[in-house]
């Protein structure tokens, strides 16, 4: 019963003069900030169409495309070799499952990079990639 009585007391009465906020017991708990209300962030947008950053350039798309296709070829060759020489099925079944992560994730990431500036397509590729990550 004493717990109910303790909760019924106001916060300022419970804190008393030992208030961790440094406020007197009767003062309001919120205080308006002093000084001007301006933010330090620049007003200009971070990405401007006339100044594309590296992910928006065709150089980035070409470099990533080269590495994606290299990963696809190497991984598909590894999957083929595991399936061709299927000597220990209990292990190789799991290895092939893990190897399938590389081509799916790499190709989807590359497509989302190609359509980075087109918001209507990027959303779908990003969603598929996030679901596959999960």
């Amino acid at each position: 019963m004493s717990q109910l009585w303790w909760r019924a007391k106001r916060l300022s009465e419970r804190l008393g003069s030992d208030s961790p906020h440094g406020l007197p017991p009767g003062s309001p708990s919120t205080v308006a900030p002093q000084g001007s209300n301006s933010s330090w962030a620049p007003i200009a947008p971070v990405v401007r169409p006339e100044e594309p950053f590296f992910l928006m350039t065709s150089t980035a798309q070409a470099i990533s495309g080269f590495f994606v296709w290299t990963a696809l070829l190497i991984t598909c060759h590894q999957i083929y070799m595991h399936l061709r020489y299927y000597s220990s099925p209990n292990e190789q079944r799991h290895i092939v499952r893990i190897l399938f992560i590389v081509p799916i994730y790499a190709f989807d990431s590359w497509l989302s990079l190609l359509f980075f500036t087109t918001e209507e397509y990027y959303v779908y590729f990003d969603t598929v990639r996030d679901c596959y990550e999960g």
Side-chain angles (χ1 to χ4, degrees), residues 3-69:
Q3 288 292 343
L4 293 175
W5 175 78
W6 180 255
R7 289 183 183 175
K9 291 176 82 175
R10 295 179 57 193
L11 180 62
S12 60
E13 292 173 7
R14 278 188 274 160
L15 293 176
S17 62
D18 300 334
S19 173
H21 303 292
L23 299 173
S27 66
S29 61
T30 59
V31 178
Q34 302 295 325
S36 66
N37 191 11
S38 62
S39 65
W40 57 270
I43 296 174
V46 177
V47 178
R48 287 175 281 203
E50 63 269 359
E51 280 185 31
F53 57 98
F54 183 68
L55 290 177
M56 299 168 75
T57 62
S58 59
T59 306
Q61 294 171 354
I63 292 171
S64 64
F66 171 74
F67 285 112
V68 164
W69 286 104

Side-chain angles (χ1 to χ4, degrees), residues 4-133:
L4 293 175
W5 175 78
W6 180 255
R7 289 183 183 175
K9 291 176 82 175
R10 295 179 57 193
L11 180 62
S12 60
E13 292 173 7
R14 278 188 274 160
L15 293 176
S17 62
D18 300 334
S19 173
H21 303 292
L23 299 173
S27 66
S29 61
T30 59
V31 178
Q34 302 295 325
S36 66
N37 191 11
S38 62
S39 65
W40 57 270
I43 296 174
V46 177
V47 178
R48 287 175 281 203
E50 63 269 359
E51 280 185 31
F53 57 98
F54 183 68
L55 290 177
M56 299 168 75
T57 62
S58 59
T59 306
Q61 294 171 354
I63 292 171
S64 64
F66 171 74
F67 285 112
V68 164
W69 286 104
T70 303
L72 285 173
L73 291 174
I74 292 172
T75 308
C76 288
H77 176 69
Q78 289 290 319
I79 291 171
Y80 171 74
M81 294 304 283
H82 273 287
L83 293 176
R84 184 172 179 195
Y85 301 106
Y86 208 59
S87 58
S88 65
N90 290 335
E91 286 181 26
Q92 287 176 311
R93 180 178 62 222
H94 297 294
I95 292 171
V96 169
R97 286 181 187 169
I98 292 171
L99 283 174
F100 265 116
I101 293 172
V102 175
I104 294 171
Y105 189 76
F107 192 68
D108 187 50
S109 297
W110 183 56
L111 285 178
S112 67
L113 182 66
L114 289 179
F115 297 108
F116 186 70
T117 55
T118 311
E119 190 68 31
E120 58 206 29
Y121 298 120
Y122 178 75
V123 171
Y124 298 117
F125 293 126
D126 196 35
T127 304
V128 169
R129 189 178 65 231
D130 288 343
C131 290
Y132 191 72
E133 275 182 21

